[in-house]
Amino acid sequence: MADEVLDVWMDGFPRPAGRLARTSHGDTAFLYNADYASAGGPSLSLSLPVDMEAFGDIETRAFFANLLPENAQLQRVMEREGLARDDVVGLLKHLGADCAGSVSCVPTGAAPIKSPGVLTEDYEPLEDRALLRIAKSLRDERRLPVEVADPSPVAGVQSKIALTVLPGGAFALPREGTRVPTTHILKVPGRRDARDTRNEEAAAILASAAGLDVSIPTAIKIGEVDALLIARFDRQVRNGVVTRIHQEDFAQALGLPSELKYQRRGKPGRWFDVEAALTVLDRTRDPQAARLAFLRATVFNLCIGNTDNHAKNHAVLYDGPGAPRFAPLYDLLPIRLSKEYTHELAFQIGAAKTFDDITGEDLIDFFETLGAPPEHLDRLLQDEIRPIIESLEAASPRLRSSGLKPFNDVLGREMEELAERLQLDVKIEPRDYYPTEGT
């Protein structure tokens, strides 16, 4: 018997997609509504295809738990409402009104989420003093001020808030009770990680220079607080109207809980590895293009020292009819600069678990697993991999001129190592040797 039930809405449909329930035993279940299915409503996830049978706890929990933030806001709701961390339905009752993508979870019978949002009517501008208070609280306390609720909690561990940028450039929050979509995410690192804002902006600019599809954030100052302003690729603004675009990360698409977003945390069949990624890529609208994009993204991440490209840092975007496409890259950082993270790869490259263990054979095995036939490997190296490294080298002076010397050093080191292991004759200017940190 259901103990708590939420209506699950997909943006743009006049009736709920289905119902999310928690039983008296603590299990979760999800069932699509028959009228939603008969009207041709899309699946919430590749792991939850439209079906008239209820999905059980494992499949349901994996998708919906991945909608929850993993930060102080979640902790505050748990403490205020007396909820356990594994009470996904109870937590979404308070945090699910405007999730990533087009999904909204609200108490049964509640009014549907308003969509679209009209910029001139549905948003309340933030005064400079209020915005600064939010930024300082996120930086120093790692949470929002007690009087501020995030209108659209986004999954992840970083301190951030979803907000809207109005046509004149002012920041705003949805007017109370409207629950309209936001347009941006404001991410604020702690004091000691303030440079991450510039590193993440620079990494995205490098990705664009290498020809990758990427969401480029902007490093900004709010008073003396360093912050990163990120335009949401799961939102669209047209003629002053904001609408949602559905998306899901690879963990959701694979039916994996966030705890298994790294290969090292799972086991065969229940982890994020290259073969698992392929099962998502091959269900996109252009599987061959998606495979190549994932391959190029992985090479880029290796070049910049980003070992944190886990399942929740890859996504698919439902921005057209039918199957989704591989989403723009996001959350790009030279993690090898940090002592706070393990430097084990998010997923193995061939048999290698760390960058320093990767051999040329491991890289070739990775390329072949993604579908590059042996007879075409030289063409792949010359037409795809070599241009990435050359483009990054050509764009790297921006790092030096921006005062990001450590990033530039690790970039040069990693590119040199990759080029050597793939036997590519690429000219890379000497940098200072950068001793990698972490374990």
Side-chain angles (χ1 to χ4, degrees), residues 268-279:
R270 289 286 289 170
W271 63 13
F272 178 58
D273 64 355
V274 179
E275 286 76 13
L278 278 173
T279 66

Side-chain angles (χ1 to χ4, degrees), residues 351-363:
K353 295 182 179 180
T354 69
F355 178 92
D356 296 328
D357 291 335
I358 296 176
T359 65
E361 290 75 19
D362 289 320
L363 290 163

Side-chain angles (χ1 to χ4, degrees), residues 22-60:
R22 179 192 65 215
T23 71
S24 56
H25 300 292
D27 293 339
T28 61
F30 175 74
L31 178 64
Y32 283 101
N33 284 338
D35 53 357
Y36 175 84
S38 63
S43 299
L44 269 64
S45 168
L46 295 177
S47 63
L48 297 174
V50 174
D51 197 327
M52 289 301 94
E53 297 292 326
F55 291 92
D57 185 69
I58 294 176
E59 305 96 327
T60 302

